Amino acid sequence: MKFIPMDKAVYTFSKEHEPVEHVSPGEVIILEAQDALGGQVTSEDMPLDQLDWSRVNPATGPVYIEGAEEGDTLVVDILDIEVPDRGVCLVVPGHGALSNHEFKSKTKFAEIRDGFVIYNGVKLLLQPMIGTIGVAPSGDPMPTAVPYKHGGNLDCKEVTIGARLYLPVAVEGALFAAGDLHAVQGDGELCVAAVEIPGKIMFRFNVIKGRQPSWPILEYGDHFSIMTSDESLDKAVEYATLEAVEAIMKATGWSFEESYIFSSLGVDVMINQVVDPKKGVRAVIPKSIASIDAFLK
Ligand code: CA
C-alpha cells in the first residue's frame, strides 16, 4: 500500500505543485498528516507568539489521481483515521467567533483514550475528522486555510470515517491533498481551533467522468451535504440553499417553487465553521429525496 509521509506538505492547493505520488482509481493509500500547527506546539507553556505561521495549515500531497481530468468528479472515501493519544487546543487573541473580545493566549492539551477525548476532565466522544481536504483549482493557488469550491479548509465535523466526499476536478490528476485532523470539533469551530492532531488517514479514490458538482458534496449516513463558503455567512447560506433547491428539482421533477418549499421542510442548513477566511455551511438533504446524480452537472 502506498504511504505518503507528513513531510510531503504543501500550504496551497495549486496546479503548479509537483505530485508526490500517483494513485489509480480504486487503490487504497495511507496519507500521514501533521497537525494544523505543523507540530510546533509541544508544551502548554509555549508562548504562541513564537509560532512560525508559515508552517501552519500544512496539507499532505498533492496526489495525482490517474484518469482524473477537468470536468470530472474525484470521489474520496475516508476509510480510516488513526489518531495519537494527545491533541492540542488553543485560543489566540483576535481569532474566533469572539475575536472582538479581550482574552489571552491559552494552550491546552487534550488526552485521547478509549474512544474519548478528555478536556479538563470532561469526556467527549472521539470523532476524528479531516479539516482540510481538496484538489487544485484551475486558477490562482488557494491557501490551505481557505475553504471554497475546490474543498480546502472545510472544517466540517462529518468529514470523518465512513464519509465519501465528491470534489470537482479542475486540473489533470486532480492534485489532491489533505491534513488538519481534529479528534473532535463542534459545528462552528468557535474558538478557531479544535483538538488538533497529526495522524494517518486511509483513503480510496475513484473518478466519475464528465460530470461534477458545483461545490463539494459530502455523503455521510442517510444524507448528502452541499458544502458552500463565503466571507459572508448569509451568502454561504444562499449558495447552499440555491444548490439544494436545484438538486431537489432535478431529483423530483418539481418546480422551483415546490422545491423551494420543500427546502424549508426537509433540508437542514448547518454551520461548518465561522472562523476561517471564508465561513462555511452545509445544506443537508436526506437520501430519500435525492441520489448523487442530482448534484452532478
Ligand atoms: Ca481547519
Side-chain angles (χ1 to χ4, degrees):
M1 197 182 299
K2 284 173 185 161
F3 177 81
I4 303 165
M6 63 165 70
D7 63 318
K8 307 283 189 194
V10 288
Y11 298 86
T12 55
F13 288 92
S14 168
K15 61 186 176 191
E16 306 299 337
H17 290 317
E18 279 300 313
V20 298
E21 187 61 270
H22 285 64
V23 172
S24 300
E27 192 176 344
V28 175
I29 67 158
I30 305 275
L31 182 147
E32 185 184 44
Q34 303 175 43
D35 71 26
L37 303 154
Q40 296 179 81
V41 179
T42 52
S43 150
E44 289 186 337
D45 301 323
M46 176 186 157
L48 291 174
D49 56 12
Q50 289 180 8
L51 274 184
D52 175 356
W53 289 94
S54 72
R55 289 172 56 198
V56 169
N57 276 309
T60 306
V63 178
Y64 184 106
I65 315 298
E66 301 288 355
E69 297 171 297
E70 183 183 355
D72 296 346
T73 298
L74 181 65
V75 183
V76 184
D77 286 324
I78 302 162
L79 303 176
D80 199 13
I81 301 173
E82 191 184 300
V83 302
D85 56 11
R86 190 179 77 178
V88 181
C89 318
L90 53 81
V91 288
V92 182
H95 290 270
L98 299 183
S99 58
N100 295 332
H101 292 247
E102 252 185 56
F103 57 89
K104 302 188 199 98
S105 285
K106 180 83 180 164
T107 302
K108 300 279 290 182
F109 289 151
E111 195 184 340
I112 302 168
R113 175 159 43 91
D114 303 329
F116 290 94
V117 175
I118 303 156
Y119 174 84
N120 261 2
V122 174
K123 285 169 86 173
L124 300 165
L125 207 56
L126 173 66
Q127 190 181 4
M129 51 152 281
I130 305 167
T132 298
I133 181 165
V135 294
S138 59
D140 290 339
M142 284 291 262
T144 46
V146 181
Y148 199 51
K149 296 184 174 186
H150 68 295
N153 198 6
L154 294 170
D155 283 327
C156 168
K157 67 181 186 182
E158 290 198 335
V159 182
T160 185
I161 300 165
R164 171 175 283 180
L165 186 63
Y166 300 83
L167 293 167
V169 177
V171 303
E172 190 192 306
L175 301 183
F176 172 88
D180 182 24
L181 291 171
H182 302 157
V184 68
Q185 182 210 299
D187 274 340
E189 203 187 8
L190 295 171
C191 88
V192 85
V195 179
E196 307 292 337
I197 52 170
K200 294 190 181 79
I201 314 162
M202 185 184 286
F203 285 118
R204 183 177 54 221
F205 302 98
N206 275 294
V207 176
I208 298 172
K209 297 298 295 178
R211 292 186 302 156
Q212 62 180 196
S214 302
W215 294 88
I217 305 291
L218 186 73
E219 180 177 355
Y220 184 63
D222 62 359
H223 52 268
F224 290 100
S225 296
I226 303 164
M227 323 265 265
T228 60
S229 43
D230 193 85
E231 285 79 6
S232 148
L233 203 52
D234 286 351
K235 272 285 170 199
V237 171
E238 181 185 336
Y239 298 149
T241 306
L242 181 61
E243 206 66 23
V245 168
E246 287 179 359
I248 293 164
M249 288 171 69
K250 191 172 170 193
T252 60
W254 296 344
S255 67
F256 178 91
E257 291 76 12
E258 288 169 323
S259 302
Y260 190 20
I261 290 170
F262 182 82
S263 73
S264 258
L265 316 181
V267 176
D268 289 316
V269 169
M270 321 277 277
I271 287 176
N272 291 336
Q273 53 72 28
V274 293
V275 295
D276 293 333
K278 291 179 192 285
K279 294 162 188 162
V281 303
R282 61 188 186 275
V284 182
I285 300 170
K287 285 185 180 174
S288 55
I289 191 98
S291 70
I292 186 60
D293 282 334
F295 303 94
L296 302 182
K297 291 161 187 172

